[in-house]
Amino acid sequence: MTFINEHLIPGVTGHILIYIALLTAACSAIIYFYNSYREDKLLTIKTANTFFNFHVSSLIGAALVMYYILFNHYYEYKIAWQYTSNDMPARYIFSCLWASEDGSFITWALLQAFVGILLLQTISSTWKASVMGVFSLSQFMLTTLIAGIHIFGFTIGSNPFSLLREATENLQSTFFQNAQYMNFINDGNGMNPMLKNFWMISHPPFLFLGYSLTLVPFAFAVSGFMKKKYSEWLQPAFPWMIAALLILGTGIILGAAWAYESLPFGGFWSWDPIENASLLPWLLLIASIHIFFVAKKTGSYIRETYILSVLPYLLVLYASFLTKSGILADTSVHAFTDNGKFAHLLFFLFLFLIISFFYLFKNKKSTFKENTVFRYDRSLMLLIGVIVILFSAFQIFFITSIPVINKIFNLNLASPADKNEYFIKWQTPFMALIILFISIAQYFKYGTNTLTNILKLIIPFIISFIVFAGVYYFLPQNISWIILTSIFFLLFSIAASIDHYLKRLNKRAALVHFGFSVFLLGIVISFSCKTTISENIRLTKNISTSMDNYLVTYKNKAVQDNKIFFNINFQPVKSTNSYILSPFVSFSSRFGTLYEPAIKHLPQKDIFAFLTYADISDINHEKENYKEFEIGLKDTIIFQNNKIILDTILVDKGLQTSDNSISKLKLTAEISIINNNGKKNISTIDYIIRNDSVYRKETEIKDFGLKLIFNNISQKPQHIIIGLKNCEQDFIVIKATTYPFINLIWIGILTLIVGLIISIMGQTKRKNL
Amino acid sequence: MKPKAILLIIFILIITGIIIQSLYSADSYSNFTEATKTGKEIQIIGKLDKTKPIIAETTGGFSFYLIDNKGTEKKVMSNQTKPMHFEKLEQVILKGKIENNVFIASELLMKCPSKYVKKQFHTK
């Protein structure tokens, strides 16, 4: 059957581009590997470079074709129908690429390819063949995931350009038997409103770029052992480790910030298996960065450094196995269900695991120089820090892997009942110990240390002790000694970092350590000092309720497009400033109702409020007593024994409003209401169109027990549509929490980012000299 | 013995400790009968009864009916906001305990919105 109005050319082009990408990646991998053993006259590294460039170009081409399909809303393609809709702004269409499972592999392959290009430009000829060989192999494996090849009854990867009518769930559908079916698809499914925000546009690309960057230390470590240049690979790999730490960390934080801003639970980390899986490579990167210093200075611990440098990428592959194999479908909130990639992803993971361990065991122990002298020096302190990181990572790894353990041993284990409490109890001291040992290490030299060196620790110790005593006074009573000790360790690390920064010993490290300690301190303090202002408190409209230190009043609700904002006034008892928080409910016919919290960011704390019950009938227009009327100028209608008369309609164009934004159009209707007893009231209702959004507000006429809303403009001239309903006692139920000193987290993150960027710049400068 | 060997042994001991500790803290999925008997907080995987209503409670939160893996059905109360898509879920993971023959859920494990893949096709 030929289908009418389908655009098949872009899909075929895209799929062919993926085939080319697959083929060129395979060619470049083979030629690079061959050249890393023996330089070939015919197929040189230059040939491999060309293949690699072709590979990247075809991936870019495939992504462009995908955007062509998405921007043109070709709903015959599954990805376009499932994630876009006609009214979708361009910025969200961009994020459609990584919203889908197959699209996220394109994103990953593409970003990793960009890292490869950057690597190709900067790498020295010694490493080019072997490092790029490993790189191309990974590119090849990633491309197989989106290949969609049917061979010998197997399907390798899934084609992201697949058609909607070809999807398994639609094969039986009679709708698609119709050759004209495209005439009946006018709009796409659209994106879940929860994903339509800045955080969700930026979080996945940063995460995938971070994942991609961890491949560089992996490739360098394997190359180093392949070429028996055991310590030479360290220096060129190092800036990439810091870059990976920076970008992956940013990606994780963006996801966490999204959870805090848009989920009605308050919190940005829920220790979900998949969240943990993205944290593990990051922790291992910290470990590999610190053991790098030890290995570089002492010349020993080379094999340990090797292991820690390959682990981040292996854990990245493990994370994508967990996310996309379906193994966590029941237990993780972020997991996809199995789409036939279980074995494929497992193969990818094991291939890289075997490669890295093959070269580790191939090189005998005796080839490594080991430092046998045991000294209390900087390397010992750093090693202890690294070991604590490993304990911390192992604990997270183990709990995260419970579903995998269940699968292997056929068990029925669940993660600890109170996951948050469990992890906070263990991970807080782990993190505090890590930063403590790393900070102490700064006071030690490599080699022999004198007592005067170590005694310099006293100053930050005393300072932090005094600060701790002050902080302790303000902390709640029920705080556990583990958390208290951790706070002290963190304060010490902060003091030590400042001390180091002022002494100009190692400013970059001092900045990074300061940032990380402040970040952790922010988390510990804001979450252990959080106060619940209200736990499911019922707020009746305009009646103030005292909660904790606030007088809370539900003022009104405002309708804007398909959202209802509930304006709640928080008046601190001891202050005259009050804050309006407006948690809202948005409504879409496809995705149902969505409750979003409101957060007031103050310098010293955040106030977080969300609705647990709200009357949202305004938007559904389902409530029985709500009625809409089309009313013309000077017309009279009767609503529950009241005469309603539309007196005038005022049209105001280009009005300058109080918040300085220009409203395009403001319609004001003046309405008279006369009841049975001849009592009269004149009210106005507004209908405002500003920046393509419609604003309407209910007007309440208390004496008449009525609510009026200017619902819409009518097709008929001089007619409008008004909504009328009885006044009811309007109430909402909210939960509200304050998070004190949460801005410490942001200060910490910003310092950390600045410190890491300076470190990368410093490293690349050093390489150029 | 070399100091490195001693360190390695300590390292392995601590890792073993972490494994044992984790297994000790690990929970297992239970059912309503168990929860009624013990009265303790449990974790449960169940199916949403779609024939019964999901009600937004005016006291805050919402209630629904869940069938556990043994086929027992109970009313579940949560004091959280009803998550988007809740009515479309097949399987729900809950944590909570039985009070007055009602399961009071202190935590709901919800799918992240990015992972809802709506299979059903609709034209409008």
Side-chain angles (χ1 to χ4, degrees):
Chain A
M1 183 166 25
T2 28
F3 294 96
I4 297 162
N5 282 340
E6 278 187 341
H7 306 80
L8 296 180
I9 294 164
V12 173
T13 318
H15 204 180
I16 291 173
L17 282 169
I18 289 176
Y19 281 156
I20 298 173
L22 193 66
L23 204 67
T24 45
C27 291
S28 67
I30 293 166
I31 302 170
Y32 277 131
F33 274 126
Y34 189 74
N35 275 280
S36 67
Y37 280 101
R38 182 191 313 152
E39 276 189 33
D40 192 86
K41 291 263 164 60
L42 187 65
L43 297 167
T44 56
I45 291 182
K46 272 192 180 158
T47 325
N49 291 348
T50 316
F51 273 116
F52 191 80
N53 285 328
F54 264 111
H55 166 75
V56 181
S57 314
S58 1
L59 279 179
I60 295 172
L64 288 178
V65 170
M66 187 58 93
Y67 277 129
Y68 178 77
I69 289 170
L70 293 172
F71 274 98
N72 283 303
H73 302 290
Y74 289 157
Y75 295 128
E76 53 270 44
Y77 291 96
K78 193 180 168 188
I79 188 169
W81 177 80
Q82 199 145 36
Y83 295 98
T84 70
S85 57
N86 296 341
D87 59 351
M88 198 178 225
R91 59 184 185 282
Y92 299 130
I93 296 186
F94 269 109
S95 66
C96 284
L97 187 60
W98 44 89
S100 75
E101 189 180 345
D102 298 332
S104 71
F105 283 123
I106 299 188
T107 316
W108 186 5
L110 192 64
L111 288 170
Q112 195 172 286
F114 288 154
V115 172
I117 291 287
L118 193 63
L119 187 64
L120 200 57
Q121 302 301 318
T122 50
I123 197 166
S124 75
S125 55
T126 331
W127 298 110
K128 199 174 253 174
S130 49
V131 167
M132 290 310 294
V134 177
F135 218 94
S136 304
L137 181 65
S138 167
Q139 284 299 123
F140 173 76
M141 283 310 297
L142 276 178
T143 318
T144 55
L145 287 161
I146 44 170
I149 301 173
H150 303 280
I151 193 165
F152 307 127
F154 287 101
T155 307
I156 301 170
S158 45
N159 175 17
F161 298 97
S162 61
L163 295 175
L164 188 58
R165 64 177 156 86
E166 288 170 349
T168 348
E169 64 271 18
N170 294 333
L171 284 177
Q172 303 301 323
S173 165
T174 49
F175 179 82
F176 293 99
Q177 319 270 310
N178 183 349
Q180 311 256 348
Y181 83 94
M182 275 309 291
N183 293 343
F184 302 102
I185 304 182
N186 304 317
D187 201 356
N189 189 42
M191 196 182 271
N192 190 317
M194 283 183 92
L195 304 178
K196 288 183 181 175
N197 51 53
F198 162 76
W199 312 106
M200 275 294 124
I201 296 174
S202 53
H203 159 67
F206 268 97
L207 204 63
F208 284 124
L209 187 60
Y211 281 177
S212 307
L213 285 163
T214 59
L215 177 59
V216 186
F218 180 96
F220 269 109
V222 170
S223 304
F225 273 51
M226 199 193 280
K227 297 181 109 80
K228 303 199 187 299
K229 294 184 174 171
Y230 300 113
S231 49
E232 288 92 328
W233 63 273
L234 289 168
Q235 193 56 52
F238 188 64
W240 298 92
M241 291 182 189
I242 306 178
L245 189 77
L246 170 69
I247 303 291
L248 183 58
T250 311
I252 295 172
I253 284 296
L254 286 169
W258 167 77
Y260 180 66
E261 298 277 338
S262 33
L263 293 182
F265 305 109
F268 42 77
W269 196 260
S270 59
W271 300 100
D272 182 272
I274 281 166
E275 295 168 16
N276 292 345
S278 71
L279 181 67
L280 286 172
W282 194 77
L283 283 175
L284 264 296
L285 279 169
I286 302 181
S288 57
I289 285 168
H290 287 94
I291 203 167
F292 159 84
F293 291 112
V294 180
K296 199 170 167 252
K297 209 77 188 179
T298 62
S300 45
Y301 301 106
I302 295 292
R303 279 177 308 155
E304 285 80 357
T305 313
Y306 176 91
I307 297 170
L308 294 181
S309 303
V310 298
L311 270 178
Y313 195 64
L314 293 176
L315 286 165
V316 162
L317 295 179
Y318 184 61
S320 54
F321 166 72
L322 288 180
T323 320
K324 282 152 181 165
S325 68
I327 197 161
L328 296 181
D330 297 341
T331 41
S332 166
V333 299
H334 306 285
F336 285 102
T337 47
D338 183 13
N339 287 343
K341 296 209 176 76
F342 190 96
H344 198 156
L345 286 161
L346 205 60
F347 176 75
F348 193 176
L349 171 61
F350 273 98
L351 179 67
F352 277 72
L353 191 72
I354 290 164
I355 291 173
S356 52
F357 279 81
F358 172 74
Y359 286 107
L360 178 66
F361 294 118
K362 200 185 159 199
N363 292 287
K364 289 210 179 68
K365 209 178 165 182
S366 53
T367 49
F368 297 94
K369 166 195 155 209
E370 288 296 338
N371 205 346
T372 43
V373 192
F374 191 84
R375 288 200 193 93
Y376 291 95
D377 69 344
R378 187 184 281 192
S379 48
L380 178 71
M381 293 300 146
L382 286 176
L383 281 174
I384 297 175
V386 167
I387 289 170
V388 182
I389 298 175
L390 292 181
F391 290 148
S392 145
F394 184 79
Q395 195 216 17
I396 298 175
F397 175 80
F398 192 79
I399 301 275
T400 303
S401 304
I402 282 179
V404 181
I405 297 168
N406 280 346
K407 183 112 182 168
I408 299 171
F409 300 104
N410 201 14
L411 297 173
N412 182 30
L413 293 175
S415 51
D418 207 329
K419 228 174 4 180
N420 279 328
E421 197 180 298
Y422 179 82
F423 275 113
I424 288 167
K425 190 173 79 189
W426 286 89
Q427 291 297 325
T428 315
F430 274 146
M431 293 297 156
L433 277 175
I434 292 165
I435 190 76
L436 177 76
F437 279 109
I438 290 171
S439 304
I440 289 178
Q442 304 272 300
Y443 286 85
F444 283 79
K445 284 193 263 184
Y446 292 104
T448 344
N449 280 275
T450 55
L451 198 62
T452 38
N453 266 341
I454 301 159
L455 280 179
K456 284 178 189 156
L457 277 166
I458 299 252
I459 303 159
F461 182 83
I462 292 172
I463 293 170
S464 53
F465 197 80
I466 294 167
V467 176
F468 178 73
V471 171
Y472 180 73
Y473 179 76
F474 290 102
L475 287 174
Q477 293 299 312
N478 56 359
I479 209 161
S480 78
W481 65 270
I482 297 176
I483 302 291
L484 279 176
T485 322
S486 304
I487 291 176
F488 175 65
F489 287 169
L490 290 171
L491 286 170
F492 172 80
S493 309
I494 293 170
S497 312
I498 296 173
D499 187 27
H500 263 262
Y501 190 86
L502 295 177
K503 284 180 188 157
R504 294 164 183 279
L505 289 171
N506 185 349
K507 278 188 165 186
R508 294 190 292 245
L511 264 180
V512 173
H513 295 157
F514 173 84
F516 190 58
S517 317
V518 170
F519 165 70
L520 289 176
L521 190 71
I523 293 177
V524 174
I525 299 229
S526 66
F527 281 84
S528 51
C529 301
K530 76 168 183 187
T531 51
T532 307
I533 306 175
S534 93
E535 181 73 24
N536 278 339
I537 295 283
R538 184 181 172 128
L539 295 174
T540 308
K541 194 168 176 179
N542 289 325
I543 296 173
S544 300
T545 314
S546 175
M547 292 178 193
D548 200 45
N549 287 319
Y550 293 89
L551 208 57
V552 185
T553 321
Y554 164 39
K555 288 288 193 194
N556 51 40
K557 52 182 156 186
V559 184
Q560 185 198 335
D561 291 342
N562 52 354
K563 287 177 183 164
I564 311 179
F565 289 87
F566 293 83
N567 298 319
I568 306 162
N569 187 55
F570 282 74
Q571 169 77 55
V573 176
K574 288 172 194 154
S575 157
T576 48
N577 293 333
S578 65
Y579 321 107
I580 295 274
L581 271 81
S582 311
F584 65 90
V585 181
S586 73
F587 183 83
S588 79
S589 54
R590 299 268 164 75
F591 294 96
T593 49
L594 166 68
Y595 289 75
E596 293 226 26
I599 306 169
K600 178 77 197 173
H601 299 285
L602 299 172
Q604 76 280 17
K605 66 180 159 201
D606 277 6
I607 307 174
F608 185 96
F610 64 94
L611 298 159
T612 55
Y613 176 83
D615 179 13
I616 52 164
S617 52
D618 275 359
I619 239 169
N620 295 333
H621 289 187
E622 276 166 3
K623 265 261 162 97
E624 284 165 44
N625 66 17
Y626 177 88
K627 271 200 173 141
E628 278 179 10
F629 296 94
E630 187 168 23
I631 184 169
L633 206 56
K634 305 290 177 200
D635 276 358
T636 306
I637 51 169
I638 308 289
F639 181 73
Q640 293 170 347
N641 296 328
N642 295 302
K643 276 185 192 165
I644 318 273
I645 305 154
L646 175 61
D647 293 333
T648 55
I649 307 174
L650 295 168
V651 183
D652 200 346
K653 285 178 186 168
L655 182 94
Q656 189 86 22
T657 50
S658 56
D659 56 340
N660 283 329
S661 55
I662 310 287
S663 70
K664 282 188 184 139
L665 180 69
K666 181 183 175 184
L667 294 174
T668 308
E670 204 175 273
I671 289 185
S672 302
I673 303 169
I674 305 160
N675 73 359
N676 271 353
N677 308 327
K679 197 172 155 193
K680 194 176 173 184
N681 173 293
I682 298 174
S683 316
T684 57
I685 44 179
D686 293 338
Y687 182 86
I688 304 167
I689 301 175
R690 188 196 303 157
N691 305 332
D692 299 326
S693 294
V694 175
Y695 300 82
R696 292 162 296 189
K697 211 172 127 183
E698 277 181 352
T699 305
E700 198 174 327
I701 305 133
K702 274 196 183 140
D703 299 347
F704 290 76
L706 277 181
K707 273 182 182 174
L708 279 172
I709 190 161
F710 192 149
N711 196 47
N712 211 341
I713 314 163
S714 168
Q715 298 289 341
K716 287 190 214 164
Q718 300 203 324
H719 276 66
I720 63 167
I721 294 165
I722 59 167
L724 282 164
K725 67 174 187 176
N726 284 333
C727 271
E728 280 170 85
Q729 210 189 25
D730 193 4
F731 72 93
I732 54 172
V733 180
I734 65 158
K735 283 192 181 189
T737 316
T738 59
Y739 293 102
F741 302 109
I742 199 159
N743 284 335
L744 282 178
I745 297 179
W746 293 109
I747 295 170
I749 290 170
L750 289 178
T751 326
L752 192 54
I753 289 175
V754 170
L756 288 172
I757 292 174
I758 296 174
S759 303
I760 298 170
M761 281 166 22
Q763 285 300 325
T764 41
K765 216 179 269 170
R766 185 183 299 176
K767 210 173 70 180
N768 292 340
L769 284 171
Chain B
M1 256 174 129
K2 283 181 197 164
K4 212 171 162 182
I6 299 169
L7 279 179
L8 194 71
I9 291 170
I10 295 173
F11 184 80
I12 291 166
L13 279 179
I14 295 182
I15 290 286
T16 323
I18 291 175
I19 296 178
I20 294 168
Q21 206 282 331
S22 305
L23 285 175
Y24 183 75
S25 323
D27 206 356
S28 61
Y29 294 114
S30 185
N31 53 50
F32 284 133
T33 330
E34 196 78 13
T36 320
K37 224 184 283 169
T38 58
K40 280 186 187 150
E41 185 146 277
I42 59 150
Q43 289 188 84
I44 199 162
I45 302 184
K47 284 197 168 62
L48 195 63
D49 186 346
K50 290 185 180 174
T51 58
K52 299 227 169 121
I54 299 168
I55 300 161
E57 299 286 335
T58 51
T59 48
F62 67 110
S63 68
F64 56 95
Y65 288 85
L66 192 85
I67 307 164
D68 72 1
N69 54 10
K70 293 263 155 62
T72 325
E73 183 167 319
K74 279 249 182 304
K75 187 180 180 180
V76 180
M77 289 274 294
S78 162
N79 65 1
Q80 295 287 350
T81 314
K82 182 175 82 77
M84 201 173 186
H85 282 285
F86 186 82
E87 52 276 11
K88 287 172 185 130
L89 286 180
E90 293 293 331
Q91 188 170 272
V92 187
I93 301 183
L94 299 169
K95 206 179 80 187
K97 57 182 171 186
I98 299 263
E99 276 171 31
N100 300 326
N101 208 24
V102 173
F103 190 81
I104 308 291
S106 57
E107 236 176 70
L108 285 176
L109 190 68
M110 291 300 310
K111 277 272 174 204
C112 172
S114 60
K115 304 303 181 306
Y116 279 106
V117 179
K118 195 184 240 170
K119 292 261 164 154
Q120 208 189 341
F121 175 79
H122 49 76
T123 44
K124 198 172 159 82

